[in-house]
Amino acid sequence: MAIGDHLRLLADETRLRVLHLLAEEPLTVAELQDVLELGQSSISGHLAKLKQAGLTHDVPEGSARRYRLRDDLDSALKSAWLAVRALSANEAQTQIDHERLIALRQRRGSSWVDRVAGSLHREYAPGRTWESLCHGFIRLTRFGRCVDVGAGDGAMTELIAPQATEMTCVDPSSAMLAAARARVATLQLSNVHFVEGSGEKLPLPDASADTVLFLQSLQYMTDPERALGEAIRILAPDGTLLVVTLAKHTSVEADAFGHQHRGFTPEQLKRWTRALQQHHTDELPRETRSPHFQTIILSANKRS
Ligand SMILES: C[S@@+](CC[C@H](N)C(=O)[O-])C[C@H]1O[C@@H](n2cnc3c(N)ncnc32)[C@H](O)[C@@H]1O
């Protein structure tokens, strides 16, 4: 859809009222009727248009359907909606609808917890983010002597280093390493080392690492097979390799990020690391934003 279509969609007063309410919480048609004091067919017509435009989706709930704003909006549509939302937030009608929604909640009586039972995975709950979960789970992990290949600017170092005995960040980009050094300097971390170098020729001794990580970096390497061979060389017996990278794709968009490869298949990753054992591969759900990249994860261990 063109921007003009987005703006026409958002220019309708009833649709805007519906969107403001759904931005507060997912609602059924009956609940929208209650707040908006409009007929069911009018509301259903607007909901159909919003769904068709990709602004909302709905899930069955008993004999009704509950409508919600999508959290994976197309970026132009999202910008248009956020701008219109900000412009209309203080309108008298928006405020009246907000008050009516509060009154509806009081009449409805059921708590948020009861309402989201069965759909919690789709709901926003304060603090319940993948990031917070990751920060929590990482406390259960031990990395030992960890080498992060293609470590970047230290965003992950901050997370991992407290769980490692030693952490070596390898990256060929002096700009990335300078940013990583600056970041680590502000933290109480004395176990982090920085090495300028490439994954294909790791300037590190044999059998010197307990964990070797490639976190969205393998696709940047000219010779990924060689880089994984280097990882196997520096792994100590019992050591673990973890590769988090993109699944094979055909999207030119990746070129703009400097990728040398359009992802990998699990079979490729397993073949290149066949000297290791206990291979596990996971393919994560595709990203909701276009072009829907998919991450794959490989972990494998070196024989003891
Ligand atoms: C998308 S960043 C990922 C950074 C970091 N792993 C993270 O997740 O925050 C990719 C990194 O790979 C690095 N890189 C590019 N070519 C490389 C190579 N041949 N060997 C090792 N790292 C490389 C880049 O300099 C960049 O810092």
Side-chain angles (χ1 to χ4, degrees):
M1 274 171 87
I3 189 69
D5 297 324
H6 295 331
L7 292 174
R8 264 187 295 283
L9 182 82
L10 297 167
D12 180 272
E13 194 196 336
T14 306
R15 280 199 288 274
L16 194 54
R17 290 176 68 195
V18 168
L19 286 171
H20 272 291
L21 290 168
L22 295 186
E24 295 205 45
E25 68 172 76
L27 294 164
T28 63
V29 174
E31 289 169 332
L32 284 165
Q33 262 183 281
D34 191 319
V35 176
L36 298 170
E37 295 183 327
L38 291 171
Q40 188 237 319
S41 66
S42 158
I43 292 174
S44 296
H46 287 300
L47 284 170
K49 286 202 171 104
L50 292 171
K51 183 175 175 179
Q52 194 186 6
L55 260 162
T56 60
H57 62 132
D58 54 277
V59 286
E61 190 179 285
S63 57
R65 302 192 75 78
R66 191 165 287 279
Y67 293 80
R68 64 190 69 235
L69 277 188
R70 297 191 74 104
D71 52 15
D72 57 348
L73 294 183
D74 159 86
S75 64
L77 183 56
K78 184 174 183 181
S79 308
W81 156 234
L82 291 179
V84 172
R85 182 185 183 182
L87 286 168
S88 54
N90 294 323
E91 296 243 313
Q93 188 62 61
T94 312
Q95 297 301 320
I96 292 168
D97 289 346
H98 172 70
E99 296 302 325
R100 285 191 188 148
L101 180 59
I102 291 172
L104 171 77
R105 281 179 190 147
Q106 280 161 358
R107 283 198 304 281
R108 197 167 47 189
S110 71
S111 68
W112 178 86
V113 168
D114 291 341
R115 274 205 315 282
V116 301
S119 63
L120 183 55
H121 61 291
R122 278 191 298 267
E123 297 288 343
Y124 167 74
R128 189 174 170 276
T129 62
W130 288 111
E131 188 182 8
S132 66
L133 195 64
C134 181
H135 277 259
F137 278 169
I138 210 157
R139 297 283 163 254
L140 302 174
T141 310
R142 294 284 168 267
F143 290 87
R145 295 162 295 168
C146 177
V147 175
D148 188 1
V149 186
D153 68 0
M156 298 297 140
T157 312
E158 193 174 338
L159 191 64
I160 298 164
Q163 301 307 117
T165 44
E166 296 290 329
M167 174 136 196
T168 306
C169 301
V170 182
D171 206 287
S173 158
S174 49
M176 280 288 194
L177 286 178
R181 277 196 187 90
R183 186 193 293 263
V184 167
T186 65
L187 307 166
Q188 308 276 305
L189 295 171
S190 54
N191 61 342
V192 183
H193 316 284
F194 297 95
V195 176
E196 192 166 325
S198 78
E200 294 91 335
K201 197 169 188 296
L202 289 173
L204 297 169
D206 295 358
S208 58
D210 300 308
T211 45
V212 178
L213 314 177
F214 289 78
L215 305 179
Q216 299 298 357
S217 59
L218 194 67
Q219 61 269 42
Y220 285 80
M221 296 178 202
T222 326
D223 190 343
E225 182 175 4
R226 187 160 167 208
L228 291 176
E230 278 290 87
I232 294 167
R233 177 183 67 75
I234 67 162
L235 269 179
D238 264 344
T240 302
L241 168 72
L242 176 70
V243 181
V244 180
T245 187
L246 289 186
K248 193 103 190 133
H249 65 86
T250 53
S251 303
V252 286
E253 280 89 336
D255 300 357
F257 294 88
H259 294 186
Q260 301 296 314
H261 299 272
R262 294 200 177 149
F264 306 100
T265 63
E267 293 69 35
Q268 256 176 329
L269 298 180
K270 281 190 202 157
R271 194 169 61 249
W272 292 339
T273 57
R274 59 185 173 274
L276 299 179
Q277 57 183 14
Q278 290 176 295
H279 291 81
H280 285 284
T281 53
D282 289 306
E283 296 177 60
L284 300 191
R286 293 190 174 279
E287 292 179 1
T288 48
R289 60 183 282 177
S290 176
H292 310 292
F293 287 121
Q294 185 179 23
T295 283
I296 55 171
I297 299 175
L298 167 96
S299 65
N301 294 335
K302 196 164 183 174
R303 279 188 185 80
S304 47

